[in-house]
Amino acid sequence: NSGLSSHYYDRICPEALPTIKRVVEDALAQEQRMGASLLRLHFHDCFVNGCDGSILLDQTPTIDSEKNAAPNANSARGFEVIDKIKDEVDKVCGRPVVSCADILAVAARDSVVALGGPSWKVRLGRRDSTTASQSAANANIPAPSMNLPALIKNFEDQGLDEEDLVVLSGAHTLGFAQCRNFRDRIYNETNIDPAFVSHLQTICPQVGGDSRLAPLDPTPNSFDVKYFSSLASKKGLLSSDQALLDGGETAELVLKYSGDAEEFWEDFAESMIKMGDIKPLTGNRGEIRNDCRKVN
Ligand code: HEM
Ligand SMILES: [Ca+2]
Ligand SMILES: [Ca+2]
């Protein structure tokens, strides 16, 4: 038990959660992809020294910003939406009582709900870090080139098991990836559908076009099971996605989720809570930032 509680803000600021939801919904009305981007921010926060808002800190002479780490640079997005949420929440609460780390966790949940996915009770009371670590971000955030044993080990290091790996990879039912992250797969791998390869090669040339986008599943704005059914037909976009079919237990889970949205939803919610419990700062550790980009 991490010491977090879903009722944390009930008394100190009852309007906090409705305010976050409203700003998330406004942002998604502008651009649906933002839901995917916000969900990913929470993941990239939690995998680097716990869910402590470290990913939000800008580079300074004393902050080793995670935004410049390879998995985040020119890729992580949604920071302006988090700033907007923080502004509005501090206004409605009258003072800064809601941590940036909690804002990330709630915005991730509200994004999933807004795109047709499951809801869950977000456990709250995380405090914000006063440090960031680019090297830890590089070391701990999984890479799309990883094979199944490496992915399992990466999740295990965070206290997450093979089921968490498969079901949380299901987050790739939302959003997009850049050519540079799937080029190797579409030019060098064989466990991929030939028609799918031809199509992707028109988007992603062998040379150049590094930032061109392809959806991670056929319905990037809808939280459905198409991510899993695509893997079953060798249409996973990332090498790390398709790799889930390489193991007995993980392959079985992929096939189960591909035909059972209820089960996917239930297990996704459970694993998101588990991921959100990774090493939170509580008590007098850390701080409640005034500005999510800066330490106080
Ligand atoms: C299992 C290991 C994982 C790997 C190797 C991985 C890797 C990646 C990569 C390479 C991208 C594309 C980034 C870009 O091209 O700019 C991406 C996108 C994304 N990832 Fe993951 N990811 C993993 C797990 C997760 C998890 C656990 C979540 C959330 C719970 C997640 C949520 C997302 C989302 C929503 C996007 C789309 C973001 C957008 O469109 O802005 N991923 N991931
Ligand atoms: Ca962190
Ligand atoms: Ca989808």
Side-chain angles (χ1 to χ4, degrees):
N1 191 309
S2 56
L4 303 179
S5 154
S6 61
H7 297 293
Y8 192 82
Y9 296 110
D10 284 6
R11 290 161 61 121
I12 28 181
C13 185
E15 279 306 302
L17 268 60
T19 303
I20 299 174
K21 181 167 191 262
R22 180 173 53 75
V23 181
V24 167
E25 284 174 355
D26 286 355
L28 267 64
Q30 293 289 309
E31 187 204 15
Q32 289 204 289
R33 183 187 174 195
M34 191 51 72
S37 306
L38 293 171
L39 173 57
R40 185 166 182 242
L41 278 187
H42 178 47
F43 162 52
H44 283 201
D45 181 21
C46 294
F47 267 51
V48 184
N49 297 316
C51 313
D52 61 357
S54 59
I55 191 176
L56 302 174
L57 292 173
D58 284 342
Q59 183 76 36
T60 72
T62 52
I63 292 291
D64 179 25
S65 181
E66 293 167 19
K67 295 179 182 181
N68 300 325
N72 292 332
N74 298 310
S75 178
R77 55 201 296 282
F79 299 108
E80 304 76 19
V81 176
I82 300 299
D83 291 339
K84 173 95 162 97
I85 294 172
K86 176 65 172 161
D87 258 23
E88 303 270 309
V89 164
D90 285 357
K91 238 187 277 164
V92 67
C93 301
R95 68 215 150 89
V97 290
V98 180
S99 67
C100 300
D102 278 351
I103 288 173
L104 285 173
V106 174
R109 189 270 317 269
D110 292 346
S111 295
V112 168
V113 171
L115 295 170
S119 191
W120 59 93
K121 283 189 176 157
V122 180
R123 291 155 51 73
L124 299 163
R126 299 168 190 82
R127 291 164 62 84
D128 297 322
S129 74
T130 53
T131 58
S133 172
Q134 191 182 138
S135 56
N138 279 317
N140 299 350
I141 296 170
S145 56
M146 281 182 171
N147 64 15
L148 183 60
L151 291 165
I152 291 173
K153 167 78 164 67
N154 178 275
F155 271 59
E156 205 171 70
D157 288 347
Q158 301 287 349
L160 300 174
D161 61 24
E162 289 185 41
E163 183 183 310
D164 299 314
L165 167 65
V166 174
V167 80
L168 290 175
S169 293
H172 290 173
T173 186
L174 301 177
F176 297 80
Q178 301 175 60
C179 169
R180 61 178 157 96
N181 286 314
F182 59 85
R183 179 182 285 122
D184 193 55
R185 170 154 172 74
I186 62 171
Y187 290 100
N188 296 312
E189 295 185 356
T190 52
N191 59 346
I192 185 165
D193 177 83
F196 184 59
V197 168
S198 307
H199 168 66
L200 288 173
Q201 290 184 346
T202 68
I203 299 174
C204 180
Q206 216 153 3
V207 177
D210 278 18
S211 60
R212 293 209 196 151
L213 295 174
L216 283 154
D217 91 347
T219 53
N221 298 320
S222 172
F223 198 94
D224 52 19
V225 297
K226 293 234 165 73
Y227 169 75
F228 295 109
S229 51
S230 298
L231 297 186
S233 47
K234 299 192 189 173
K235 291 175 183 163
L237 184 61
L238 305 178
S239 193
S240 54
D241 292 325
Q242 199 62 51
L244 299 176
L245 272 194
D246 293 347
E249 183 183 345
T250 54
E252 244 176 67
L253 287 164
V254 167
L255 297 182
K256 177 174 76 170
Y257 294 134
S258 72
D260 192 343
E262 291 250 343
E263 191 72 21
F264 172 43
W265 280 30
E266 216 171 275
D267 292 354
F268 185 81
E270 197 179 299
S271 289
M272 282 297 291
I273 293 169
K274 200 165 156 188
M275 184 177 85
D277 268 357
I278 298 174
K279 291 200 294 186
L281 296 172
T282 56
N284 56 14
R285 295 157 68 226
E287 62 182 22
I288 306 296
R289 275 180 219 147
N290 297 317
D291 175 340
C292 291
R293 294 175 183 266
K294 301 186 183 98
V295 299
N296 292 347

